[in-house]
Amino acid sequence: MVKFSKELEAQLIPEWKDAFVNYWQLKKHVKKIKLSRSNKQPASSHDLNHEKLGRSIFDPIRFVAMKVASCSSKLFLGSSNNNTNEIIQVRSKSMDSDEEQVLYQTELVQLFSEEDEVRVFFERLDGELNKVNQFYKTKEGEFLERGEILNKQLQILLELKQIVAERQRRRKPVAGAPLLQRSSSSFSSSRDSDSLSESAAELNDSSAEISQTEEVIAALERNGVNFMNSASCRAMMTKKGKPKMAMRIDIPATTPARTISAVTSMIWEDLVNHPKKEGHGDFINKKKIQCAEKMIRSAFVELYRGLGLLKTYSSLNMVAFTKILKKFDKVSNQQASASYLKAVKRSHFISSDKVVRLMDEVESIFTKHFAHNDRKKAMKFLRPQEQKNSHMVTFFVGLFTGSFVSLFSVYIILAHLSGIFSPSTETTYMETVYPVFSVFALLSLHLFLYGCNLFMWKATRINYNFIFEFAPSTALKYRDAFLICTTFMTSVVGAMVIHLLLRAGGFSPSHVDTIPGILLLIFIGLLVCPFDIFYRPTRYCFLRIIRNIICSPLYKVLMVDFFMADQLTSQIPLLRHLESTACYFLAGSFKTHEYATCKNGQLYRQLAYVISFLPYYWRAMQCARRWFDEYDLNHLANMGKYVSAMVAAGARLTYATQSNNLWFSVVLITSVVATVYQLYWDFVKDWGLLNPNSRNPWLRDDLILKNKSIYYLSIALNVVLRVAWIESIMRFRFNPVQTHLLDFFLASLEVIRRGHWNFYRLENEHLNNVGKFRAVKTVPLPFRETDSDG
């Protein structure tokens, strides 16, 4: 049977861990009571009689006095008809500053043999009950307020959809008709469909006198949606000269089109210090309303998820209070749990039903407006089910791992027999086939390390799905990552073995050397395969993230976007190998085996700079976009780190072709500056370590791993792997084969460093969410009020 402490640790919400009952601390207090009882020696019969006599004199006096005090305050929560069974008295009092905030305080009615330890236990228990109540009230208030806002947002959306539908039905729709000015949109109370129809009819009758924009504004005003005056719509005045109310529809600039539109609008407003003319306003068409509807739907889903978490929080804490009180009863040989549990059940986090009622309301609203009254479809959005672990996945992971080890052993034997790694043989294999297989090997290593990251994040209860905003139903698990990795490498090593066997069999090299290219095309085809096979949600999510990275800074940057971009900065050797592979096959060198054709080309050498810069450039543009969205100077400082890395990479590439003392000095200076910059950002910003005032010396206050020495070893390992660039200026070269193998080894070390960095990066992000009790994503809403300019 699983202990409740482990069950609680497995089920509690990681981001709210500090707000839960500290069950483990309370268990320590119960253990102290038990030890105190066991340490007391058995008293003599005379002492026992004296103790009984003492209790018979003083206990009734104490009991009566406490009873009178409880009756005068009228806050006694026990049973008045069974006073002899009452052992504790739980008082509740309201704070003077906040009458709704109730604090609980326990007093001992009867003497305990371990009175001091018991009193400390109940003081601690009262503190936990007050903490749970206060947190529950705070979160409940936040969710209730969010629910009211979403209801208003939904009513505005329904009104706008109704008005647009009426206009399209009664008159020929005008493409791109201006509905509201850029800074206009607001919300108010809703009206029923009859009043909307009447307003639309009146609007149709007066369409000859007012413009299309004024038609919609008038219709919305007749239905209770008022507009506030703002800088961009001061020209919109009523006949009496009073300013109309303005409202704003905020659609986040998440796509290139919206980003360009937002930047253009900002520049226009900065250049022209007067209201926009009607022709330059923002147009709200059917597509824009659909976008607003999607935002509101996502907000309802997150609200429902938050309510579900709060409900789980309430039930787990109730069980924790019940379990710990039963332990106390067992240790103290008393029956104190009944009285205290009455107070717990009357407390707000148990007695309040607002969360349950709001959940029912959200289910009803979502089913009606976003699922076409299909409850089953609505529940797929509101309660997505995680994929169940399959034993077949574990079986195939083991099968492909064994196959990979066997095939790799065969490959080593064949390579040794054929002498392809011998310096005396031709270097064609290392110059042509090696880059293609290196791409597969580096990618497989990265996938394996990502699987290790997923395993460690799950084991340490780091909520990576929430941080990356992955759907629980389609999110990749560590077993799936290992399955993809082992399948990938088994196929690659199998192709390498076949390639060597065909070479040894006397087949034409021009035909045999097409095997790596064919394998590459097969994997690219599987990546973009539209059929729902081979983890299609994961594949398309990967492609979407790569698209966002390449198009930086036009797309809004999410955590998963810049996390993946950081992975690309560690895979520059892989991108360089892709460049040589593309040139090798596109130039037809696999037929002639003149591999020097690509390396001697000027365009090839120039592309080497571009490819080495691209990952850092994309990451720098993401930092610029985040600064534009958030106005946080830390993003500009982070962008400087990637600019310094670009300079250092360019200097090392130049030094590889121009070996002189000047470029040696340039490489040394730029690389040292970039490395120090990167190490500082790794430890202080990304990992949150090196805090001199931390209770854990030079680490941080909160650590997920219990062994502190692991963090110090990780710091040292990260420093060593960060300075691997020293090899590029020391030039440890022996022969072409060893040079390629050394380059592959250094590239693998950088991938390993990145996989090691990933765990601590997400650990720090998770602890930031825990510190802010952030367990639910905040979804921006399309409609918001703007202040009047008067």
Side-chain angles (χ1 to χ4, degrees), residues 402-461:
S403 302
F404 163 70
V405 173
S406 302
L407 289 172
F408 190 71
S409 301
V410 172
Y411 173 77
I412 293 176
I413 295 173
L414 292 177
H416 177 71
L417 294 177
S418 60
I420 60 174
F421 293 125
S422 175
S424 59
T425 58
E426 58 177 356
T427 60
T428 305
Y429 183 87
M430 295 301 296
E431 296 292 344
T432 57
V433 180
Y434 160 78
V436 186
F437 288 132
S438 294
V439 170
F440 296 133
L442 291 174
L443 186 58
S444 298
L445 178 61
H446 215 135
L447 279 172
F448 173 76
L449 292 173
Y450 181 65
C452 294
N453 289 145
L454 293 177
F455 175 79
M456 288 298 299
W457 291 333
K458 180 179 177 59
T460 54
R461 296 208 25 103

Side-chain angles (χ1 to χ4, degrees), residues 90-243:
V90 185
R91 298 174 180 271
S92 61
K93 61 179 181 179
S94 301
M95 299 297 291
D96 296 336
S97 57
D98 186 3
E99 295 182 356
E100 294 183 358
Q101 183 178 357
V102 179
L103 296 181
Y104 293 88
Q105 185 175 1
T106 304
E107 295 182 2
L108 305 183
V109 175
Q110 295 185 11
L111 286 177
F112 289 83
S113 58
E114 306 80 19
E115 187 170 356
D116 292 339
E117 288 81 0
V118 172
R119 181 178 290 106
V120 172
F121 169 76
F122 278 106
E123 287 177 357
R124 183 75 182 186
L125 193 64
D126 292 337
E128 295 298 317
L129 178 58
N130 294 328
K131 178 185 73 174
V132 170
N133 259 327
Q134 183 58 36
F135 181 82
Y136 187 89
K137 285 182 180 179
T138 301
K139 286 298 178 182
E140 183 186 63
E142 292 178 1
F143 290 138
L144 290 175
E145 182 181 2
R146 185 72 171 177
E148 292 178 0
I149 294 174
L150 284 179
N151 277 330
K152 294 180 180 179
Q153 295 274 317
L154 181 60
Q155 292 302 327
I156 298 169
L157 178 66
L158 295 177
E159 288 179 355
L160 289 177
K161 291 175 69 175
Q162 182 73 16
I163 291 172
V164 171
E166 289 290 335
R167 289 180 56 204
Q168 291 178 349
R169 184 176 64 86
R170 294 179 177 274
R171 51 189 298 188
K172 185 177 180 180
V174 180
L179 185 58
L180 299 174
Q181 296 293 338
R182 162 158 292 276
S183 295
S184 69
S185 295
S186 185
F187 60 82
S188 183
S189 61
S190 62
R191 295 293 185 271
D192 55 16
S193 59
D194 293 337
S195 61
L196 287 170
S197 301
E198 294 174 0
S199 300
E202 295 176 4
L203 175 65
N204 189 41
D205 295 336
S206 58
S207 60
E209 300 177 359
I210 57 178
S211 65
Q212 294 174 348
T213 302
E214 291 173 344
E215 289 178 359
V216 179
I217 292 175
L220 290 174
E221 286 181 343
R222 290 189 183 97
N223 287 279
V225 179
N226 296 324
F227 291 82
M228 282 191 287
N229 185 36
S230 66
S232 62
C233 58
R234 290 194 186 102
M236 298 166 56
M237 309 289 286
T238 60
K239 295 181 180 180
K240 296 181 180 180
K242 295 181 180 181

